[in-house]
Amino acid sequence: MTPTTIPWGLAACLGTDTEVWFAEGNSALANADRAEAKAVCARCPIRTDCLVTAIAEERGLSESGRYGIRGGKSPRQRYEMERRYVERHPPPKQQRAA
């Protein structure tokens, strides 16, 4: 699926408080908000599509360039997923012109 064909209208997060998706810091409230967001994602029928879209949109960004819970994963988790993928699937080496 592409971002335009994903049935975003089925997302479990629709209508929820957007603050929980972008909690900052390590306070008890911020941690509770992140846990709530991940719980919503866990029951979402398009969670995988959301995660794949997030990773594609964030490709090449540092961990600090990613924000919010998307597809049930934190910015750090998405960064690590991409990093591990790139390590296992390095781009092909370009051959020199003769």
Side-chain angles (χ1 to χ4, degrees), residues 11-35:
C13 61
L14 286 179
T16 62
D17 180 7
T18 56
E19 292 293 317
V20 302
W21 306 97
F22 300 96
E24 294 184 19
N26 289 313
S27 68
L29 178 59
N31 291 333
D33 283 349
R34 282 189 285 275

Side-chain angles (χ1 to χ4, degrees), residues 21-68:
W21 306 97
F22 300 96
E24 294 184 19
N26 289 313
S27 68
L29 178 59
N31 291 333
D33 283 349
R34 282 189 285 275
E36 179 183 341
K38 288 181 175 187
V40 171
C41 289
R43 66 175 188 269
C44 184
I46 63 166
R47 180 177 56 91
T48 300
D49 293 324
C50 184
L51 178 59
V52 169
T53 300
I55 291 172
E57 289 174 354
E58 297 169 339
R59 185 166 291 128
L61 292 179
S62 67
E63 181 182 335
S64 64
R66 300 162 194 249
Y67 300 96

Side-chain angles (χ1 to χ4, degrees), residues 59 79-90:
R59 185 166 291 128
Y79 173 78
E80 288 299 323
M81 290 174 77
E82 180 185 356
R83 186 185 62 75
R84 285 190 306 269
Y85 179 84
V86 170
E87 284 176 356
R88 288 189 305 251
H89 304 90

Side-chain angles (χ1 to χ4, degrees), residues 1 3 6 35 52 65-66 68 76 84 87 94-95:
M1 292 193 138
I6 295 169
V52 169
R66 300 162 194 249
R76 174 175 287 171
R84 285 190 306 269
E87 284 176 356
Q94 295 185 3
Q95 295 182 2

